Amino acid sequence: MSPTSDDLALSPRTSGRRRFLATAIAGGAVLGLGGLLTACGSSGGSGGSGGSTPAGGGSSPNQKSVKQGGDDYATVVEKMKGFGTDAAPGVYPRTVRHAMGETVIPARPTRIVVLDTGELDNVVALGVQPVGVVHTDGSKSLPSYLKDKAGSPAAVGTINSLNLEAIAALKPDLILGSQLRAQDQYAQLSKIAPTVFSLRPGYPWKQNFLLNASVFGLEAEAKAQLDAYQAAASAIGAKLGDKRPTITPLRFMPGRTRLYAELSFIGTILTDVPLPQPKIEQVQELAVEVSPEQIDKADADWIFYGVYGSPSSTNQDAVLGGALWKTLGAVKSGQARPVSDETWFLGLGVMAANAVLSDLKGFVAPGS
């Protein structure tokens, strides 16, 4: 996969709205949530022999519109309200509405290939072990928090470089992914097996979970898990009462350092508790990018930092060893802590979200 499942390398903003935000943030580059997939083009897939048909009326956003700077960037949750199925649990064939149109699922799938970390988390949470997975460029193994439950799926490439021959060889009866990641491959994938795509990974992770669950008739199970997650998040907030510390999710990546904002996976979790973020991160975007000389902008009551891939490929060591880092309030108070990148930034599903809540509880609300 790419440097992150929630965001890939993002180009400089081009819209007037984003230029305004970047200026207002005084030097921190604001990054659009969708800007991810430069590796995927913008042509549309339109079905194929996998039982898929184009979306009626052309109402679904295209790949470009849910990328960074796209018109549908911040509205994907609203756009997904019509996704899913009207079929009752256990009833097949069923028709599932999704980002690329409608797909007929002839029978309950048993051989599933997942094309991103969020879909992997989703199916495992539903008790399904996939037969094929993609990996990130930072790790060629299953996420450690899922290894005990995910089985032994075969590798079928990376997020940005799908191995279609390997996927076909597994003879799947379902492929789960997203329009943002693999729109250009949708037609080919649909010829291999029924294929269901969300609009994009990351911020709409709850809607993606419900969409994936609809294929198996397990919407009620998914909703129950989301309700349990929200109850756990609210319990942390109740424990804190009015004394809610500010939180900065900080991530070191090759060539960039990011403070994650409201329209990110981790941003939604902080909102659900709720836990406030510093003003610089209170924007309807994926993240704010800062230079090592601007690391003071990360200061909060707590800083939780992760690193994508090898720390040596990022500026983590230089920042953490620098004089400016040592001046931050969170650092002085011992409240700047490393966290797991694979859950906080790459997980994109309910199991990762629960792991993040567990971390937050232990740090900011012990005993809740």
Side-chain angles (χ1 to χ4, degrees):
M1 293 183 197
S2 56
T4 163
S5 282
D6 193 15
D7 59 315
L8 303 188
L10 302 178
S11 61
R13 326 165 62 67
T14 55
S15 71
R17 169 173 170 263
R18 283 173 170 72
R19 285 195 297 270
F20 169 79
L21 283 168
T23 301
I25 287 172
V30 182
L31 300 178
L33 186 94
L36 319 184
L37 272 207
T38 54
C40 289
S42 59
S43 62
S46 58
S49 61
S52 302
T53 59
S59 59
S60 293
N62 61 26
Q63 182 191 45
K64 184 177 180 180
S65 76
V66 294
K67 282 186 178 183
Q68 174 186 335
D71 293 340
D72 298 296
Y73 169 85
T75 62
V76 291
V77 170
E78 182 68 24
K79 301 291 183 185
M80 291 183 68
K81 285 187 175 178
F83 289 6
T85 183
D86 299 321
V91 174
Y92 290 91
R94 61 178 50 217
T95 299
V96 176
R97 300 177 296 275
H98 59 100
M100 301 302 292
E102 296 182 345
T103 293
V104 175
I105 310 297
R108 178 163 176 163
T110 59
R111 296 185 61 80
I112 297 92
V113 169
V114 292
L115 306 181
D116 208 331
T117 53
E119 283 74 27
L120 174 60
D121 188 303
N122 290 345
V123 299
V124 173
L126 295 170
V128 176
Q129 293 184 338
V131 297
V133 299
V134 295
H135 292 304
T136 68
D137 291 329
S139 174
K140 303 303 182 186
S141 62
L142 286 172
S144 60
Y145 79 101
L146 295 177
K147 280 185 177 179
D148 292 342
K149 297 181 179 180
S152 302
V156 292
T158 68
I159 283 179
N160 287 328
S161 182
L162 303 180
N163 186 330
L164 297 179
E165 290 184 359
I167 292 172
L170 292 174
K171 300 186 184 302
D173 51 18
L174 175 68
I175 299 170
L176 295 174
S178 73
Q179 181 185 43
L180 184 62
R181 299 299 197 207
Q183 177 175 295
D184 284 356
Q185 289 78 42
Y186 179 77
Q188 294 167 284
L189 291 167
S190 293
K191 292 176 182 178
I192 296 172
T195 300
V196 173
F197 274 7
S198 67
L199 287 171
R200 53 155 296 110
Y203 147 66
W205 64 274
K206 299 173 190 176
Q207 290 72 27
N208 291 349
F209 188 26
L210 293 170
L211 173 63
N212 291 168
S214 72
V215 176
F216 304 97
L218 294 175
E219 298 98 318
E221 168 63 22
K223 186 177 185 304
Q225 291 195 42
L226 290 174
D227 288 345
Y229 151 82
Q230 183 57 62
S234 297
I236 295 173
K239 171 70 174 179
L240 291 169
D242 295 333
K243 299 178 180 178
R244 304 199 177 195
T246 54
I247 308 293
T248 283
L250 166 65
R251 196 181 194 205
F252 297 102
M253 301 171 64
R256 55 183 56 87
T257 301
R258 290 180 177 160
L259 316 179
Y260 279 73
E262 293 174 348
L263 297 190
S264 65
F265 171 67
I266 186 59
T268 65
I269 297 173
L270 295 178
T271 298
D272 287 338
V273 173
L275 283 165
Q277 295 183 250
K279 188 174 182 179
I280 189 175
E281 298 156 32
Q282 294 175 20
V283 290
Q284 293 285 289
E285 302 289 348
L286 168 70
V288 177
E289 190 166 299
V290 296
S291 68
E293 294 75 26
Q294 297 171 317
I295 201 64
D296 58 317
K297 294 180 182 295
D299 205 7
D301 294 318
W302 286 87
I303 299 173
F304 296 108
Y305 59 91
V307 59
Y308 174 76
S310 171
S312 63
S313 66
T314 74
N315 62 16
Q316 177 185 257
D317 291 344
V319 169
L320 299 187
L324 187 56
W325 177 257
K326 295 178 175 64
T327 68
L328 304 189
V331 176
K332 290 180 177 179
S333 63
Q335 294 183 169
R337 304 293 183 87
V339 291
S340 169
D341 195 73
E342 66 182 16
T343 51
W344 279 64
F345 302 103
L346 280 174
L348 310 187
V350 70
M351 295 181 71
N354 284 327
V356 172
L357 287 182
S358 180
D359 289 343
L360 287 170
K361 176 181 175 181
F363 286 122
V364 306
S368 60

